[in-house]
């Protein structure tokens, strides 16, 4: 089946530094990727939609200058948390849609990245 | 994003029993209703999904019941097993839009 790989699976960084999270579609081409944020014991909140070769579309309330998204190829999207602060600590999850997206071939999720900002 | 309301927040079911989780949506344009299973520290995995042109879909021990007029859908897990213990999320979207709106999640615990 389709696999979406996220790296790193967890990261600890100091306040004020930037962290890059990668999301790769391993066996399919992903024209669209989605980035979600999940706080402990809470639901997934969509942050932004990433389209290959164009600017990401951010959801209301998400700071695009803080959460930089780059979808440079059909298999890779990156999320960079800039000038991270403790309140950015969260579980970040990406999902990807293939070029043959249909009801029988839905979104595939990565295993998430646990970010802890100290 | 319009809300998807999910209940209960947590559920404890005895092994072999039926687990039932309910969701209600607001947006009548939604036409795709998946259920996801998430284990701690992992991303959600698609369990089963339904379109509004059918009232029920069954895959193994998992069944989705869909009530379009009430804008509600539910997940039934038959013969619940300890390995089913996880957090379950319902979601909805307009399929052409693709952006999923997730429910608040249900933490299911299956006890022996």
């Amino acid at each position: 089946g389709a696999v979406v790989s996220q790296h790193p699976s967890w990261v600890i960084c100091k306040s004020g530094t930037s962290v890059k999270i990668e999301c790769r579609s391993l066996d399919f081409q992903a024209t669209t990727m989605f980035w979600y944020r999940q706080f402990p014991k809470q639901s997934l909140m969509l942050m932004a939609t990433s389209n290959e070769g164009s600017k990401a579309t951010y959801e209301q309330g998400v700071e695009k200058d803080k959460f930089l998204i780059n979808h440079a190829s059909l298999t890779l999207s990156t999320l960079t948390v800039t000038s991270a602060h403790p309140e950015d600590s969260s579980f970040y999850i990406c999902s990807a849609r293939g070029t043959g997206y249909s009801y029988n071939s839905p979104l595939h999720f990565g295993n998430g990245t646990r970010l802890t900002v100290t | 994003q319009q809300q998807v309301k999910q209940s209960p927040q947590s559920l404890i079911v005895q092994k072999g029993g039926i687990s039932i989780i309910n969701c209600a949506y607001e947006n009548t344009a939604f036409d795709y209703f998946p259920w996801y299973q998430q284990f701690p520290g992992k991303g959600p995995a698609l369990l089963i999904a339904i379109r509004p042109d059918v009232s029920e879909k069954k895959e193994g021990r998992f069944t989705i019941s869909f009530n379009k007029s009430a804008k509600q859908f539910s997940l039934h897990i038959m013969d619940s097993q300890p390995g089913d213990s996880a957090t379950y999320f319902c979601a909805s979207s307009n399929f052409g839009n693709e952006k999923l709106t997730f429910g608040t999640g249900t933490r299911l615990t299956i006890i022996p």
Side-chain angles (χ1 to χ4, degrees), chain B residues 75-86:
Chain B
L75 174 69
H76 295 232
I77 305 175
M78 313 299 285
D79 187 26
S80 300
Q81 298 297 312
D84 297 331
S85 297

Side-chain angles (χ1 to χ4, degrees), chain A residues 60-114:
Chain A
Q60 193 172 13
V62 177
E63 299 175 62
K64 56 181 156 184
D65 294 330
K66 180 165 189 60
F67 299 100
L68 300 179
I69 292 172
N70 186 319
H71 193 157
S73 77
L74 283 172
T75 59
L76 174 65
S77 176
T78 60
L79 168 67
T80 301
V81 183
T82 62
S83 186
H85 291 284
E87 57 265 30
D88 298 325
S89 298
S90 189
F91 194 50
Y92 293 88
I93 308 171
C94 72
S95 68
R97 164 209 159 179
T99 54
Y101 187 52
S102 71
Y103 280 111
N104 294 320
S105 180
L107 293 172
H108 305 284
F109 283 81
N111 271 331
T113 297
R114 172 75 59 196

Side-chain angles (χ1 to χ4, degrees), chain B residues 4-77:
Chain B
V4 177
K5 297 180 180 178
Q6 184 172 345
S7 63
Q9 191 173 20
S10 62
L11 180 63
I12 299 173
V13 175
Q14 214 153 20
K15 179 183 174 183
I18 303 173
S19 303
I20 302 174
I21 305 171
N22 301 298
C23 279
Y25 63 98
E26 299 176 347
N27 189 340
T28 54
F30 285 157
D31 60 358
Y32 177 64
F33 304 92
W35 283 90
Y36 287 87
Q37 179 189 57
Q38 186 180 31
F39 292 105
K42 300 293 185 182
L46 178 66
L47 203 57
I48 187 172
I50 198 169
R51 296 174 59 178
D53 52 350
V54 296
S55 60
E56 185 174 284
K57 182 175 180 181
K58 184 176 181 179
E59 289 184 0
R61 296 186 294 111
F62 302 95
T63 300
I64 298 180
S65 297
F66 183 80
N67 186 329
K68 187 174 181 179
S69 60
K71 293 189 287 185
Q72 295 175 347
F73 58 110
S74 61
L75 174 69
H76 295 232
I77 305 175

Side-chain angles (χ1 to χ4, degrees), chain B residues 76-98:
Chain B
H76 295 232
I77 305 175
M78 313 299 285
D79 187 26
S80 300
Q81 298 297 312
D84 297 331
S85 297
T87 299
Y88 291 81
F89 292 95
C90 63
S92 301
S93 74
N94 177 313
F95 193 77
N97 187 325
E98 302 165 332

Side-chain angles (χ1 to χ4, degrees), chain A residues 1-76:
Chain A
V3 177
V4 174
S5 174
Q6 266 185 257
H7 179 80
S9 56
W10 59 271
V11 57
I12 302 173
C13 71
K14 291 190 174 181
S15 187
T17 61
S18 295
V19 173
K20 180 183 284 188
I21 301 169
E22 293 185 348
C23 178
R24 293 182 185 272
S25 55
L26 297 186
D27 53 358
F28 66 101
Q29 292 185 326
T31 54
T32 303
M33 290 184 173
F34 300 89
W35 287 95
Y36 291 84
R37 183 174 182 175
Q38 185 179 31
F39 291 105
K41 299 184 181 181
Q42 293 191 25
S43 188
L44 288 80
M45 298 301 296
L46 180 64
M47 299 175 65
T49 303
S50 168
N51 293 297
E52 186 267 337
S54 64
K55 289 184 178 180
T57 303
Y58 291 82
E59 295 300 303
Q60 193 172 13
V62 177
E63 299 175 62
K64 56 181 156 184
D65 294 330
K66 180 165 189 60
F67 299 100
L68 300 179
I69 292 172
N70 186 319
H71 193 157
S73 77
L74 283 172
T75 59
L76 174 65

